[in-house]
Amino acid sequence: MSNIKLIIEERPSNIGNFMVGRLLPFREKRMVGPFCFIDHMGPAKLSDHENLDVAPHPHIGLSTLTYLFEGSIMHRDSLGTEVEIQPGQVNWMTAGSGIVHSERTPEYLRHSDKNLHGLQIWVALPNDLEQMSPSFTHVGEDEIPAWEENGIAFKLIAGEAFGRKSPVPVYSPLYYLELKSTTAQTVNIGSDLFGESALYILEGSISSEGHTYEPKHILIANDSKLCSFEMAENTTIYIFGGEPFPEERFIFWNFVASSKALIEDAKTRWIAQTFPKIEGETDFVPLPQLHTVKK
């Protein structure tokens, strides 16, 4: 019996002046463990007059994880944070009851050619922490656990696995791993995983049970304990997952919650502009005219 339950292909999505590849949520699989949203940004080549400019917008009920492969993003939020994220670092922003942030090309890069490539991820908060106070943590590349084993370079970007723990302050049992190969290798790590598990192929390919899978796909496992596959040479993959929540989650725009009432409250607050403001930012993203709250 195959251990691959579902294959999700990256779908193009427009986030303003920038196209991304959306991986989660998917109609047949809304979440993997607590992971409820994944966008693949780029790879994009931006000219001297093209910049990333995501104006101030709100979040509730989740933590965002930004992880870049190339380029740079200036993060500003309503807590007063102003920090540039560069490749290999982690921006971990917990919205809780409500936070506002913007994401832009840093000023010193706005008039030159540049690249942008990375992943943006949402992790839903457990029910009892959905309304916690917002917070922000920036983790440097040298703080992330990294090791090599059987020809594979590992990084534990968030969560716990293999007896290691990332300094990213997560709020439920989860893992987010990077695996890189330079030569073809067989990987068998199922005994170290738990809960629901998925694998995203960034570059190269993997083979499992006689099938080969190419980049821009997420493979959802039937059983995380049976996670065994072959990585081709020069392959980079991300394995993520964890314990699923007992309650379903609703998603509307940038809001994630276990109740529609919390989302309706956030919509009302954003329309009334009573969310906290970002110092120095005057524009904002208006509430979209979406008619349904997605499960």
Side-chain angles (χ1 to χ4, degrees):
M1 181 177 122
S2 172
N3 189 38
I4 297 174
K5 180 179 183 179
L6 180 67
I7 301 169
I8 301 175
E9 186 173 6
E10 201 170 289
R11 290 104 54 211
S13 181
N14 195 321
I15 61 166
N17 61 348
F18 198 69
M19 292 296 292
V20 297
R22 183 135 304 159
L23 290 153
L24 280 181
F26 184 65
R27 62 183 178 275
E28 295 173 42
K29 186 64 177 172
R30 309 303 304 179
M31 297 176 65
V32 176
F35 291 80
C36 61
F37 177 96
I38 299 179
D39 264 358
H40 177 205
M41 303 183 295
K45 293 185 180 296
L46 303 177
S47 69
D48 57 2
H49 62 276
E50 293 177 310
N51 293 294
L52 178 72
D53 277 306
V54 181
H57 58 281
H59 290 283
I60 65 164
L62 54 82
S63 297
T64 64
L65 190 159
T66 303
Y67 189 77
L68 297 181
F69 314 129
E70 288 184 279
S72 177
I73 295 175
M74 181 61 72
H75 164 99
R76 295 183 179 90
D77 64 41
S78 51
L79 297 173
T81 309
E82 183 171 333
V83 64
E84 180 182 350
I85 181 168
Q86 296 182 333
Q89 303 172 344
V90 173
N91 265 13
W92 177 261
M93 182 185 76
T94 297
S97 59
I99 198 168
V100 178
H101 75 133
S102 65
E103 297 158 293
R104 302 185 187 275
T105 300
E107 194 60 40
Y108 72 93
L109 293 174
R110 296 185 72 84
H111 303 291
S112 59
D113 296 344
K114 57 263 174 192
N115 298 325
L116 188 61
H117 191 198
L119 292 174
Q120 288 205 309
I121 295 166
W122 295 359
V123 181
L125 288 168
N127 185 270
D128 61 336
L129 294 175
E130 280 185 304
Q131 292 292 287
M132 68 183 287
S133 297
S135 63
F136 179 87
T137 302
H138 179 83
V139 178
E141 184 177 14
D142 59 349
E143 300 175 70
I144 295 170
W147 68 101
E148 192 162 319
E149 192 173 311
N150 298 325
I152 304 289
F154 288 79
K155 283 186 180 179
L156 178 59
I157 297 167
E160 294 187 54
F162 302 99
R164 296 169 169 88
K165 183 176 182 178
S166 166
V168 174
V170 303
Y171 296 100
S172 66
L174 63 86
Y175 45 86
Y176 174 43
L177 290 151
E178 176 186 87
L179 280 68
K180 283 180 174 284
S181 67
T182 53
T183 59
Q185 299 290 340
T186 298
V187 181
N188 189 349
I189 58 174
S191 60
D192 293 282
L193 304 181
F194 56 89
E196 297 182 329
S197 190
L199 183 156
Y200 173 62
I201 306 165
L202 177 70
E203 59 186 354
S205 65
I206 71 160
S207 300
S208 177
E209 297 159 330
H211 300 280
T212 299
Y213 302 96
E214 303 291 340
K216 298 189 176 183
H217 288 83
I218 283 181
L219 310 180
I220 310 292
N222 271 311
D223 184 350
S224 64
K225 299 295 183 190
L226 300 176
C227 196
S228 178
F229 51 90
E230 293 79 45
M231 293 178 68
E233 62 181 8
N234 301 320
T235 292
T236 302
I237 63 171
Y238 293 86
I239 297 176
F240 62 93
E243 297 295 347
F245 297 132
E247 324 87 6
E248 66 179 319
R249 288 296 182 275
F250 301 100
I251 301 177
F252 177 94
W253 190 37
N254 301 313
F255 305 140
V256 174
S258 60
S259 80
K260 292 182 180 180
L262 286 173
I263 289 178
E264 290 303 317
D265 174 69
K267 288 163 65 175
T268 299
R269 286 191 286 143
W270 187 245
I271 291 170
Q273 284 295 290
T274 57
F275 268 82
K277 303 290 193 293
I278 302 174
E279 187 175 350
E281 295 264 22
T282 55
D283 58 342
F284 71 98
V285 181
L287 189 78
Q289 297 300 308
L290 302 176
H291 300 293
T292 57
V293 175
K294 298 175 183 176
K295 289 185 180 181

